[in-house]
Amino acid sequence: AQKVTQAQTEISVVEKEDVTLDCVYETRDTTYYLFWYKQPPSGELVFLIRRNSFDEQNEISGRYSWNFQKSTSSFNFTITASQVVDSAVYFCALSENLEYGNKLVFGAGTILRVKS
Amino acid sequence: NAGVMQNPRHLVRRRGQEARLRCSPMKGHSHVYWYRQLPEEGLKFMVYLQKENIIDESGMPKERFSAEFPKEGPSILRIQQVVRGDSAAYFCASSRDSGAHFRLFGPGTRLTVL
């Protein structure tokens, strides 16, 4: 069965600090996809990234970076030089593949509070 | 091109009433997924529908919940005889084909049961 664990319930940082959000997953499949979403206080769900299981290359997008480690089943998310606008709940999710009808399995989320 | 639309955005019901949540997929999309987010939890899959068909309802509670996606019009998630535990945010996502629904979710409907 698939499972996503975000052990950090809540993290507080001061603006400009770097912060890493942890995500550990379980799956029996060799083909799977990992995702990160942001849910700001307004409540909508914003897609941030998708990564497939065959691509372990780390990715950087502006202040965001993702570290995918298959050996430890982790897909961690780092925000560099955090800003108040980064305050949100962040969800990691897993899908065994993107074929017919496959749903996303979400972690419980990490609340990030960035203080000025 | 409008994204996935959900209405109402907020819905208040008293215990025992019915709640009807609507999801209009993006234009050209014929696949809809519903997820529920209970307070302080992540989203959990409920049901996957194509036009006029329920494909996977493995996440739907056995009683009081139903979903449809008619040939014309939005997808409807219906909750009969609501209870306080149904209070949650309900999100839908759509896709053109079977796989890629992950990218765009609707804004959600926040249901409060008094």
Side-chain angles (χ1 to χ4, degrees), chain B residues 63-111:
Chain B
E63 297 177 346
R64 302 186 297 107
F65 285 71
S66 61
E68 62 176 7
F69 189 14
K71 189 176 180 181
E72 301 291 337
S75 175
I76 306 286
L77 181 67
R78 182 181 176 208
I79 311 172
Q80 294 178 289
Q81 299 176 318
V82 296
V83 300
R84 290 223 172 101
D86 297 333
S87 295
Y90 293 83
F91 291 90
C92 74
S94 74
S95 62
R96 187 181 305 275
D97 48 42
S98 60
H101 75 282
F102 60 89
R103 197 174 290 275
L104 191 60
F105 280 77
T109 293
R110 274 135 191 95
L111 172 65

Side-chain angles (χ1 to χ4, degrees), chain A residues 35 37 39 41-47 49-50 89 91 95 97-109 111, chain B residues 9 31 33 35 37 40-45 48 50 55-56 58 89 91 98-107 110:
Chain A
F35 308 82
Y37 292 86
Q39 188 174 45
S42 50
E44 73 270 24
L45 206 62
V46 179
F47 165 77
I49 190 172
R50 176 191 73 170
V89 183
F91 292 100
S95 179
N97 59 61
L98 291 178
E99 291 301 317
Y100 200 82
N102 265 285
K103 53 252 192 188
L104 299 170
V105 175
F106 285 81
I111 301 169
Chain B
R9 294 292 306 275
H31 299 247
Y33 294 72
Y35 289 78
Q37 183 180 23
E40 301 182 6
E41 292 188 17
L43 280 73
K44 287 188 168 48
F45 167 79
Y48 163 41
Q50 286 184 43
I55 306 302
D56 181 354
S58 59
F91 291 90
S98 60
H101 75 282
F102 60 89
R103 197 174 290 275
L104 191 60
F105 280 77
R110 274 135 191 95

Side-chain angles (χ1 to χ4, degrees), chain A residues 5-54:
Chain A
T5 301
Q6 295 180 254
Q8 304 150 309
T9 304
E10 185 169 337
I11 301 175
S12 288
V13 298
V14 177
E15 216 172 9
K16 296 182 185 170
E17 283 186 15
D18 299 348
V19 58
T20 295
L21 309 181
D22 297 334
C23 173
V24 174
Y25 61 92
E26 294 176 30
T27 179
R28 293 179 184 173
D29 237 23
T30 54
T31 302
Y32 52 89
Y33 293 81
L34 295 161
F35 308 82
W36 275 95
Y37 292 86
K38 174 182 180 180
Q39 188 174 45
S42 50
E44 73 270 24
L45 206 62
V46 179
F47 165 77
L48 295 178
I49 190 172
R50 176 191 73 170
R51 175 53 51 87
N52 75 56
S53 53
F54 297 108

